[in-house]
Amino acid sequence: MKLFSLRPLSRIFIALFCTALLAAGIAEAAPAPIVITGADRRPAISLDGEWGSIVDPYFSGLFSFHHQEKSNGWFLNQKAKPGDPFPTEYDFSTAPKLRVPSDWNTQRESLLFYEGPVWYERDFTYQPKQHTRIFLHIGAANYRSWFWVNGQKVCEHEGGYTSFNCDVTAQVRSGSNFVVAAVDNTRHEDGVPTLETDWWNYGGLHRSVSLIEVPEAFIDQYDVHLSRGAGSVIEGWVHVEGAQSGAKVEVEIPELKAKATAEADKTGHFLFHIKVEDLERWSPESPKLYKLILRAGEDSIEDTIGFRTIETRGTQILLNGKPIFLRGVSVHAEAPYRTGRANTDKDAETLLGWAKELGCNFVRLAHYPHDESMLRAADRMGVLVWSENPVYWALQFDNPKVLVKAEQQLDEEIGTSRNHAAIILWSMANETPSNEARTNFIETLAGRARALDPTRLITAALLVRAEGHTKIVDDALGKALDVIGVNEYIGWYEQHPESADITEWRIDYQKPLIVSEFGGGAKAGLHGGDNDRWTEEYQANIYRHQFGMLNRIPQLRGMSPWVLMDFRSPNRPLAGIQDEFNRKGLISEQGQKKQAFFVLQKAYKEKTVGRPE
Ligand code: GCB
C-alpha cells in the first residue's frame, strides 16, 4: 500500500530547508524602497480598488508556530488543491474585500479599534516592456509593511505617512500577476511616532497604490526652485538613476521660454541655473504655476510648479522679499464628512476651501506628512504650508535606531515634496520634552533637512514654561530653528480664557514666532454661557481672549490654532460630547461650523489679529 507520494514529501523538505535558511539568516533581504519625486506625474497602472483581505492578529501568515519567518507564508497566495497533503487555511479570493486607498478602521466596524497585521491581495495583468523598469508605488502604508509580487518579496518599509517605491521589474511577468501586502499598524516604543499620540492610528494602504513604468535610466529625484536674492534665477538639480557617462539632462519651462542643459557634478547630480525674465512669482494672492519639463535620454517628466522665495530677516518672515503674517489653522489629515484618512483631491479641496473661507493664507499640516493631493491642492489654491514629520511627544531620543527611522521619514518627506511652492516650513517635531538627548536628536534632523533643502525654513512646535502669568520660551531647541513654533492652551488645559488678558511673553530668541496651537473643545450645537465648558460659546470665548494677548507679542509672525476640524482620537472617550473625537475643531467632522470659526474669520478678514504685513 502506498502511504504517501514523493512529490508532496519533497515539497515539505524544501519548505523545511527554506525555513532553516531563513532561521539562519541566510535568506536574501529584499532591496530597500526608493524615493521618486513626482511619482504622481508618471504613466501608471492603478492598483486602487478592492483587494482581498485577511485580518491576522497573530501574524500567522508570516510566522510559524515557533515564530520563524515562513517560506510558505500567505504571500504565496496559494489555493487549496484536491489531494493536498496539508490544509491551506487561507484563500484571498474568497476573503472579504478592503478598498484601497483607505484605512481599514472606517471600512469595517469590527476594525475601528484594530491594531495589528492585515493582509491584502490583488491580481493584475501586465505586459512587461523591454528596457523598462517597473516600480510598485505605495502612497503610504501605516505603519510597517511588506510586499511580495508573484510570491517573491520585493520590499519592506517602516513609517506610515510617506510614499515609497519598490522595484518589481524582476518579479512581474507577462499575463496574470498578483501582489500581496502585509500591513501592520501596531504601535512601538521605538517607532516614529511612538506609543502615545492624539490621533487615530488608522491602519492599512491608506493612500493610492500603482505600478509606474520608467526607462532603465530615469529621473528619480529633482529639485527646481527660485534662488533667493535679486533677479529671477531658477536653479536646482536633477538626479538620474542609472545614468550613463556623458548623459545629458534638459530643463525647460516653455511659458518662460527658458531652457537649459544641466551639467553633471561629481555626485551624479545634474545642476542647472537659468536666468528668466517676466517671472510671475507664486503667492497666496496669485498662485501662478508653470509647466516644467525634464528630459534625460529616453526619460522625460512634466510637472507643474510655482516659484517663490522664503527667508527670514531678523524677526520677519519674507515671502518673495516682502514681510508676511501667516494667518493659519492647523489641519489633521482626517477626511471631512466620512472620517478616516483624507486622501482624495476632494478631501483636500474641502479642507483647504474651509481654511480659505476662514481667511487663511497658511495651514499647519499636522502631525505627519500629508498626501500628495493635499500639497498639489495647496499649490493650486495658494495656501502656504508647514509640513511636519511625525517626531511627536516623547520618542526614544537616546536610541540611535529611532534617529535612523526619523531620518528616513524626513528624507522621504523632503524627497517627494520638495517642489511644492506652497511648502515654506519643514517642521522637525511637536511638543518634545526638553532634554539633551532630545535636543541632539532634533538638531541632527534639522541639519539634515537644511542639507537636503537649503531653500526653506526650519521650525518645530515647542512647549512653553510659565512663571506666574509670564510665558517663557527658552527651550534649547530654539537655537536650531529659523522660526520658533509654540503651543499653548490658556483657557483649556490651564487657567481661564480671560487669563490670556494678563499673560505676557518672554521669548529668548530674536527670531520670528508662530503660535502653532491654541484652542479648546466644543461640541457643535451645544450652547451655554461663556464659561460652560464644551459649549460653542466657551470655545469662542477662548479665541476672543487670545487675540489681544497675541497682538502683544512683538515678534509674532503667524498662528495656526488647533484645529480646523474635529478628528478621531482614542484619547477622547467622554460619552455624549467627545465620543472618541477631539472636539477642538472649528468645524465638526460633519461640516457644522462652530461659533469660534466666525470669531477667527472676522479677525482674519479684518486683520485685527497679527501685525499687518
Ligand atoms: C497638543 C498636541 C495636539 C493635540 C492637542 C490637544 O498640544 O500637539 O496633537 O491634539 O494638543 O487637543 O490636546
Side-chain angles (χ1 to χ4, degrees):
M1 194 172 71
K2 202 170 151 198
L3 284 180
F4 43 72
S5 79
L6 204 65
R7 218 170 61 90
L9 189 67
S10 61
R11 253 199 255 167
I12 291 166
F13 278 136
I14 291 168
L16 287 174
F17 179 67
C18 291
T19 313
L21 279 183
L22 281 164
I26 297 166
E28 227 180 286
I34 66 161
V35 173
I36 296 183
T37 314
D40 63 330
R41 297 289 136 140
R42 293 283 182 181
I45 298 159
S46 172
L47 296 180
D48 288 348
E50 305 266 283
W51 291 51
S53 67
I54 303 177
V55 180
D56 184 16
Y58 294 180
F59 224 167
S60 52
L62 192 60
F63 294 103
S64 70
F65 71 134
H66 284 173
H67 202 70
Q68 286 170 335
E69 206 168 315
K70 286 178 177 174
S71 58
N72 64 340
W74 297 355
F75 49 83
L76 293 182
N77 185 23
Q78 284 174 326
K79 306 263 179 310
K81 285 186 282 313
D84 277 348
F86 50 81
T88 300
E89 297 183 82
Y90 70 98
D91 186 343
F92 284 112
S93 66
T94 54
K97 306 282 181 215
L98 277 174
R99 216 174 43 252
V100 173
S102 175
D103 57 275
W104 60 58
N105 314 71
T106 54
Q107 287 193 60
R108 213 181 280 169
E109 222 180 311
S110 61
L111 296 181
L112 183 60
F113 284 90
Y114 180 73
E115 295 188 307
V118 172
W119 291 80
Y120 288 77
E121 188 278 337
R122 193 192 197 282
D123 298 337
F124 62 96
T125 50
Y126 190 71
Q127 288 313 323
K129 302 174 185 73
Q130 282 205 321
H131 309 298
T132 301
R133 286 177 74 177
I134 304 121
F135 285 88
L136 182 64
H137 170 76
I138 295 103
N142 189 33
Y143 169 76
R144 286 192 70 185
S145 53
W146 297 256
F147 294 84
W148 296 263
V149 168
N150 297 327
Q152 287 166 271
K153 184 148 173 202
V154 291
C155 62
E156 54 181 271
H157 183 263
E158 182 165 346
Y161 302 97
T162 41
S163 73
F164 54 97
N165 305 276
C166 311
D167 192 338
V168 298
T169 316
Q171 289 80 19
V172 286
R173 57 195 179 206
S174 176
S176 52
N177 292 262
F178 63 90
V179 52
V180 172
V183 185
D184 182 358
N185 69 337
T186 303
R187 288 167 294 118
H188 298 276
E189 224 173 329
D190 64 352
V192 181
T194 178
L195 297 175
E196 311 292 338
T197 69
D198 185 28
W199 68 86
W200 209 267
N201 182 21
Y202 290 124
L205 297 171
H206 62 96
R207 294 183 190 157
S208 285
V209 178
S210 59
L211 289 167
I212 59 181
E213 296 176 331
V214 291
E216 274 164 346
F218 70 99
I219 298 165
D220 59 345
Q221 294 199 38
Y222 51 95
D223 180 322
V224 183
H225 61 263
L226 182 64
S227 91
R228 285 177 184 158
S232 293
V233 175
I234 293 171
E235 59 180 19
W237 53 261
V238 178
H239 185 262
V240 181
E241 172 63 28
Q244 303 293 317
S245 68
K248 292 213 163 12
V249 171
E250 202 177 85
V251 181
E252 187 181 356
I253 304 161
E255 198 181 328
L256 292 171
K257 299 193 178 49
K259 209 168 179 175
T261 304
E263 304 287 335
D265 72 355
K266 282 193 224 93
T267 65
H269 289 74
F270 291 82
L271 310 183
F272 67 90
H273 184 95
I274 319 173
K275 210 166 163 6
V276 292
E277 309 223 329
D278 302 325
L279 175 75
E280 195 184 320
R281 292 184 176 218
W282 184 99
S283 70
E285 297 73 39
S286 168
K288 168 73 185 165
L289 299 174
Y290 288 93
K291 186 207 275 181
L292 163 82
I293 308 168
L294 303 175
R295 297 186 191 89
E298 298 296 300
D299 195 23
S300 71
I301 184 163
E302 257 187 50
D303 207 338
T304 319
I305 73 175
F307 298 102
R308 53 100 196 96
T309 58
I310 189 79
E311 59 204 308
T312 62
R313 182 173 61 203
T315 64
Q316 289 182 319
I317 297 176
L318 307 181
L319 177 74
N320 293 323
K322 288 192 227 91
I324 185 167
F325 185 83
L326 303 173
R327 294 185 304 277
V329 69
S330 294
V331 183
H332 252 297
E334 181 87 29
Y337 303 109
R338 67 171 196 278
T339 76
R341 269 282 158 266
N343 53 16
T344 65
D345 290 343
K346 192 158 178 262
D347 294 337
E349 278 160 17
T350 304
L351 292 167
L352 294 182
W354 281 334
K356 290 200 77 159
E357 198 183 327
L358 260 178
C360 293
N361 58 10
F362 168 65
V363 285
R364 173 185 179 206
L365 299 184
H367 281 301
Y368 37 76
H370 286 216
D371 188 29
E372 188 67 23
S373 59
M374 191 67 167
L375 301 172
R376 293 260 179 225
D379 278 349
R380 276 196 313 275
M381 295 168 76
V383 184
L384 296 159
V385 167
W386 156 318
S387 176
E388 185 157 317
N389 68 28
V391 175
Y392 183 90
W393 291 351
L395 299 193
Q396 287 185 341
F397 290 115
D398 50 3
N399 181 344
K401 287 192 186 142
V402 175
L403 179 60
V404 171
K405 293 178 192 187
E407 287 178 334
Q408 174 218 314
Q409 294 190 40
L410 185 70
D411 292 359
E412 290 169 345
E413 177 187 4
I414 296 180
T416 51
S417 333
R418 64 182 344 140
N419 295 305
H420 290 288
I423 300 178
I424 51 168
L425 288 154
W426 298 122
S427 169
M428 297 297 107
N430 179 71
E431 293 185 351
T432 51
S434 178
N435 60 53
E436 209 183 320
R438 181 290 314 249
T439 304
N440 292 340
F441 184 105
I442 299 175
E443 276 178 4
T444 307
L445 285 184
R448 193 176 183 98
R450 279 203 182 89
L452 287 169
D453 178 10
T455 74
R456 289 184 174 83
L457 306 175
I458 304 295
T459 191
L462 306 179
L463 290 165
V464 183
R465 65 187 186 89
E467 278 174 17
H469 286 289
T470 305
K471 290 275 179 199
I472 301 171
V473 182
D474 62 356
D475 186 326
L477 185 56
K479 280 197 214 78
L481 309 178
D482 300 312
V483 175
I484 312 282
V486 292
N487 297 352
E488 53 89 4
Y489 279 93
I490 298 170
W492 188 254
Y493 293 124
E494 52 167 320
Q495 309 172 71
H496 307 284
E498 296 73 22
S499 312
D501 305 347
I502 50 165
T503 302
E504 296 301 327
W505 286 71
R506 194 194 93 197
I507 298 146
D508 287 2
Y509 298 100
Q510 276 307 299
K511 297 183 180 188
L513 181 108
I514 296 176
V515 174
S516 36
E517 286 181 32
F518 69 84
K523 168 122 172 120
L526 187 68
H527 294 285
D530 282 358
N531 290 310
D532 295 335
R533 223 174 251 266
W534 301 113
T535 63
E536 291 194 24
E537 285 75 8
Y538 189 100
Q539 186 190 37
N541 198 30
I542 293 180
Y543 274 70
R544 264 188 233 104
H545 285 280
Q546 286 280 325
F547 299 152
M549 178 192 74
L550 294 173
N551 280 338
R552 290 196 304 279
I553 305 175
Q555 67 207 75
L556 184 82
R557 297 293 171 252
M559 51 196 259
S560 51
W562 192 255
V563 58
L564 180 66
M565 193 190 81
D566 290 352
F567 60 95
R568 282 190 198 268
S569 166
N571 303 340
R572 311 292 173 176
L574 186 63
I577 301 277
Q578 294 176 308
D579 302 309
E580 278 85 33
F581 279 87
N582 183 315
R583 294 286 178 209
K584 296 189 190 71
L586 295 168
I587 305 177
S588 79
E589 78 283 5
Q590 294 308 325
Q592 298 147 277
K593 296 187 175 108
K594 306 180 194 173
Q595 284 184 11
F597 178 97
F598 300 102
V599 171
L600 183 63
Q601 183 186 52
K602 188 163 186 294
Y604 277 168
K605 296 238 151 129
E606 293 175 0
K607 300 203 173 159
T608 52
V609 64
R611 320 242 135 209
E613 290 105 57

